[in-house]
Amino acid sequence: MTKQLSILSQDEINNLYSLPKFDPESRANYFQLNEQETAAMKQYGRALTRLYFILQLGYFKAKTQFFVFDLEEVSSDSRYVSKHYFPEHILRLQGRISKPTRLMQQQVILTISGYKVADKKIRKALLDKAEKLARIHSKPIYIFREIMNYLEQQKILLPGYSVMQKHIIAQGLIHERQRLEAFIDKHLSQEDSERLENLLENKSMGIYLLTYLQQEPNSFMYYQMRSQMLRKKHMKQIHELAQKLIPKMEISNENIRYYSSLAGHYSVYKLNRMKRKMVYIYLICFAYSRYRHINDSMVEAFKHYVRSYETEAEAWSKQSIYTYQLEGMKQLSKVPQILKLFTDQKIEDSLHFGLVRKKAFKILAKNFFLTLSDYITKNSLDKKELKWVFYESIPRQISLNLRSLFMNLHFEALAGHTHLLNATKKLKELLSKSKPLTKVSPELFPCQFIAPHLKKYLYKNGILQVKRYEFLLLRSLRNKIESGDIFIPESFGFKSFDQDLISKSYWEANKTDIIARLDLPKLKQSPKEILSELESKLEQKFKKVNDAILKGKNEYVKITGQKADGSHKWQLDYPKISDKVNHSFFDQFSSIPIASLMDWVDQQTGFLAQFSHILGKNVSQKIPKHQLIASILALGTNHGVGKMGQISDLTSQQLRTARSNFLRAETLEKANIKIVNATSRLPMFKYYNIEEDVVHSSSDGQKFKTQFHTFNSRYSPKYFGLGKGISDYTLVANHIPVNARIIGAHEHESYFVFDLLFNNQTQIQPEIHSTDTDGTNQVNFAILDFFGYQFAPRYKSISSKAKILYTFKHPNQYDQGYLLKSTRKIKLKLIEEEWDNIQRIIASLALKTTTQSTIIKKLAAYARNNRTRKALVEYDKILKTIYLLEYIDSPSLRRNVQKALNRGEEYHQLKRHIFYVHGGKFRVHTMQEQQLIADCTHLIANVIIYYNTWLLSQNLSKNQKGGDEIEIEKIKKIAPVAWQHVNVYGTYKFTTMEFPLEFEQILENATAP
């Protein structure tokens, strides 16, 4: 394992452990000495020794590492230091100082900086930490990064890569594997082993049982949900085993998901070739996770059908009312004829009234008299009653789609909802007897959960209407599931909020240790300290911004009128920014086939090496890289492998083989990270920063139609007309898509903001993040703040948002002449009282006890009376108020936010250009396939952006050498989102991929228009 463990690529190793390379600006910064450093330098007599000390110190400041180097290797730095500090000396900038002197200098630097070397004792502590981290997440890169954070906090020098790789991380993973294997020996009985083996051997359904259980539903259709119920039944015993063993394993939820994904991803053939004890661990975690995913899909279907029937009832009731009104108007014209019967002289008074009535019924049918009477007297139909009539009319649909789901889900409730839970248990009991509910005595149905205002619809002549009762109960369950009051314990998305967090008992016993190992400074502060800092900041900002408006210093705030209450109407002028895609700079370059470009970018970055075979690195089967490129293009452009086989010089079978063996979420993620990191190291990249040395990112969803109904596709007339679709939610930083996720069109984008940021594994780490209004909710400011991100959303109607501002003092304590007024005082006591619970939530997010989007979603929609949620929302209000004030006061902030969001829109245009075939519709049946295709599209986009950034970097370097400052400034302003010089479509030739021969000459002569 030690030899095979791969953590970083060679480029990443070189970037982390190689000598830093300084530009003139950073060189001046890192080689600047303070008083203490100057004194330390002066203790050396020779100028050359002093020079070497300054170089060592500068490199240490840059990377907190020591390097052995000859002065020739760092000639530019040596000349700078010599000229700056020893202008009177003519130094021979060659060779290096003696080893004892170099080590002595390093010790001095360590003393000055407060750092220490990772000695034997520290390495033992690092190994212990690696073992603990392996229980949280077994991915080597996660352990590596966490240890790096720990070393930085503790001011410990980073050990060499081989030490980190072989003696710390690999050994930590080995110890964790040995611990789990010993666990299996101790806790797994022979009978349990046979049950697990059955997953790998049973082919009673024509495929392996494990393969059957791995399959996902592609819609909410009845037969798909029945298959889910069957899978759940097959898993019952194994899940019970997992329920018993998982808590004893002492591994995190993240590792449970990771081990489960291995069993879910690998074929039975591959699993049979692995070590049996670890396969058992994978299968146990798979059973635990898969069972919950099945429940999640069933709950989603349950919610979907309730919502669908509500929508249908709404439409039916409206149509009924419309029909009623239309009929009333139609029959109204017959009223005069009926009235004439009373004045007709030919009708004698002695005539029996029954005969008169018959004449009237000939004019207007008897059944329309009551309708017409109600219409004339304006007695409208009861819309709610009509809805209940509709629910009563669809018993078969409810039985087929909802009742089966209801019977196969286990519901639990928070305190205060026992009436609904009791009714649920009773209804299940009655349904299990296979007796029609209409044959059951109404007295047997618990009715305490029925709200008083609904009873008139549920009862007729004092008798409970059972069909209506059933739908009411199902709808009530749906409502309480969404509010978090009813939950499904054995699920991921719908378990209780408390289950999503670190267990209360573990938190109370280990809180200090948990907080200490997390790199979250605010989590370690007291609430009084944090609130005091925020109070000072908010109060100063509140006064400053209002004073600037009153004194006319904020020229962007325009008073537009006065309201009846005396307050002012106002608006904020926004800066106009119009960055353009397809800059004319790229028109100078010949059109290059996308296949050739991908081949060239691979030569530059090595991204294709990330596509390992599904059977492992040591598999004998190899595949030509042009087949891999072709399969990526087939999916990413939406041609599909079949069509690509027809329009290229490869066969469809070759592409299918490449796709099935190499294209996976894991390999595509690694390849995208590889290109993104390579792009970030190009000279041009730093000029994409909106602010100097600050990465400002944005996220937004791009909507795509789906040709087939899938589990996550939804109707949205605004985006899809009469069709369904999904959203590709992407995090864009400095023009580059660094992370993305396919979500349902119905899901709120704000739930996934933190998820994308926190799980971004590239070297591009944003500090400021913007979204449009759709990306905001009541907790995002607070959550992102704890993790060191500044949340900076765009508000189009800022005057309406600024109507609600919160302060630390009562609103009456502020100048009433202020344009921006305080709405309410912050509830500081609530925040302080709930601080422990807030810390537990943040720690749970950091430790990935569940998916971040799940916790955020529940926090945003949790029961209103939950004190912890209310406290977190109060904390969020402080940060939001500070931001709103800054947003109003700072045109540069508004400009930066707009620019960051524009970059997301520009990327969407590029993505739409790439994913163009078949009208840009997803034509697959599962969410996994959608994500695979989207990742291929992102990869193609990253290839193009890398190429453009490389072209700009080459041109920039050429002009920097020539000293053409005007041309340099032009180049810095060109965005890399362009595609007019890349041929994405046409006839594809993969066996003869060549870069244009005239490329170098064009680059040499290229200029920025």
Side-chain angles (χ1 to χ4, degrees), residues 160-175:
Y161 180 69
S162 61
V163 173
M164 289 283 285
Q165 179 194 41
K166 297 177 182 178
H167 302 296
I168 297 175
I169 298 175
Q171 289 302 313
L173 290 170
I174 288 172
H175 292 170

Side-chain angles (χ1 to χ4, degrees), residues 458-474:
L458 271 292
Y459 290 86
K460 282 187 179 179
N461 300 320
I463 300 174
L464 180 69
Q465 303 302 294
V466 174
K467 293 179 182 178
R468 297 186 179 192
Y469 173 91
E470 180 181 9
F471 185 78
L472 174 64
L473 191 147
L474 298 177

